[in-house]
Each structure stands twice: as C-alpha cells, then as structure tokens.
Amino acid sequence: MTSPLVRTTRLATAYRRLLSSADAPRYAAEVDEHYSPMTLATLLRRGDVELRRAAAMALGLLGNSRSIDPLGRALSDVDRGVRLVADDSFRGLLLRDAAPTHHQQLLKVMHLTDGGEFAAALAPAMILVEQAPMYAEAHFQLASCWHGLEDYPKASQAYVACLWRCRFHYTAWQGLARCQIMCGEYLAASKSLERCIDIVPDLESARVQLRMLRRRMRRSDV
C-alpha cells in the first residue's frame, strides 16, 4: 500500500472519472488497488478539498468499522461537499457495520419502524441487540421503538447505548434530546443538541430545536 502522501493523483484521477461516468464499482476497484482504508482516512483529514471528497466517497465503498470515526469527524469539514459525501458514507457504513445476517435483520426492523409499527419492531430489535451488542445502529433502532412507544426513559437508555458505540451518531444525539425534553431534563437536552450540532453544523432541525428549548428554559427562569 502507498504512504498517505504518495500517488494522491491516482485518487484524484479516479474520482474525476467517477464524477463523469458514475461508475462506482470501477472507482472502488481503482482505489482499492492503491489505497488502504487507513490511507484514505489520512487523506480525508489532510488532503485538499478534492482529495477529501474522493476519500470520503471511497471510504463509503471500501471502509470498515475503523472508518466510521474519521467519517464522523468529516461531517463538520469546512467544505460542504466533503460534509455531504461523508454523511452518505457514514450512514452507509453504520448500517453495514455488522455480519450480513444482522444487517438483514436490521433492515427488517427499519422497515417496521419506518412504517410506525414500533410494537411489532420491538421484539426483533431486542433480539438483534442481544445477538450483535456492538452494532450501534441496532441500538438506535431499539431506541426508535421505545421512543415511538413513548417510553422515554428506555428510549434514552438505548440512545446512550448507541452513542457509547458511535459517538458521532448525530441522529441518536437528537433523539436523546427529544426524550430528555419529554422527561423535563432541559439542560441535558440542550447539551445533547449542542453536541449534535457540533458533529453536523448543517442540521437545521437541531438548531431550531435548540432555539425553542432555550426559549422555554428562559421562560421557566422568569
């Protein structure tokens, strides 16, 4: 494998070809021939804008569990294009960060929660968490089930379990804040939202939520 600052033009050339052809499998093959996920993570942190975008895209295709944190840090990159690509790759890796069987189980749970069938999703989500305890997204889906069933303390516990496994899971920070608000824990909720915004500065829904919460806190102090 190459060192981080060698052959960077290969990555840029492959990325430009991807943008013109939309041939993701070819891009993955070309990058995989010359770059390891560790090298791509270094370029994501230290490269110019084009290389950071290229590395974020490549990590979504070739990355592993260790690629999640670098992509999480890139969610606050100064370049909006890097942030967008990193977000797609970050969420994709979160879903795939488990054995194929557990990934398929997760998709079934997600289908139920997306349809608002939280009670039906609860048991399979609990089984999945038990079978794959380090699978952050499984804990997030379990939290979504408890949240949808309005059991906010249990939802909060599951969100925290998710965040313990992936501190950059900004949707879990936002969900945790909603539960904390429902439990009257306004200061804790504001801190959760601040952390969410630190991770993803573009998340306007969290900013709106934080502004409303701060107004509520000011009124309660009057």
Side-chain angles (χ1 to χ4, degrees):
M1 292 296 178
T2 67
S3 62
L5 299 181
V6 176
R7 294 185 180 177
T8 53
T9 54
R10 290 182 183 275
L11 181 60
T13 299
Y15 183 62
R16 292 167 191 166
R17 187 178 296 115
L18 170 69
L19 294 179
S20 63
S21 69
D23 190 343
R26 179 181 179 182
Y27 178 65
E30 289 176 344
V31 174
D32 191 37
E33 185 177 354
H34 299 287
Y35 299 89
S36 69
M38 184 179 299
T39 300
L40 292 169
T42 300
L43 290 171
L44 179 59
R45 185 178 72 252
R46 294 170 50 189
D48 61 24
V49 169
E50 183 179 44
L51 289 179
R52 296 202 308 277
R53 292 181 181 182
M57 176 68 73
L59 283 173
L61 299 169
L62 303 169
N64 51 40
S65 297
R66 294 182 180 179
S67 307
I68 291 175
D69 273 14
L71 286 167
R73 285 189 287 271
L75 297 174
S76 59
D77 191 276
V78 295
D79 177 70
R80 186 171 184 272
V82 174
R83 297 196 300 270
L84 290 173
V85 177
D87 190 36
D88 283 342
S89 294
F90 174 77
R91 288 185 286 111
L93 281 185
L94 279 178
L95 293 180
R96 301 195 304 273
D97 188 30
T101 299
H102 296 144
H103 179 219
Q104 290 302 314
Q105 290 176 255
L106 180 80
L107 294 179
K108 293 176 182 177
V109 171
M110 291 176 64
H111 177 73
L112 293 170
T113 57
D114 288 346
E117 298 180 55
F118 303 111
L122 182 60
M126 294 176 72
I127 292 171
L128 179 57
V129 163
E130 185 174 329
Q131 293 177 343
M134 295 307 296
Y135 195 4
E137 196 64 22
H139 290 275
F140 178 76
Q141 290 300 322
L142 178 59
S144 298
C145 291
W146 287 123
H147 200 155
L149 295 170
E150 301 183 359
D151 191 329
Y152 303 114
K154 287 184 179 178
S156 294
Q157 291 175 5
Y159 282 129
V160 169
C162 170
L163 291 165
W164 186 83
R165 289 155 178 82
C166 179
R167 59 197 175 103
F168 293 103
H169 200 305
Y170 58 90
T171 313
W173 281 112
Q174 193 171 19
L176 176 60
R178 293 191 178 106
C179 290
Q180 290 166 330
I181 290 171
M182 296 303 297
C183 294
E185 301 169 1
Y186 298 151
L187 182 59
S190 68
K191 291 180 179 179
S192 295
L193 288 170
E194 288 166 3
R195 179 58 181 143
C196 178
I197 294 167
D198 285 343
I199 295 169
V200 186
D202 298 326
L203 195 58
E204 187 59 28
S205 62
R207 291 186 181 278
V208 171
Q209 197 174 359
L210 182 57
R211 285 196 295 269
M212 294 174 61
L213 177 59
R214 285 173 173 169
R215 284 198 295 269
R216 179 184 295 186
M217 293 170 67
R218 284 195 295 269
R219 287 197 300 268
S220 65
D221 289 339
V222 175

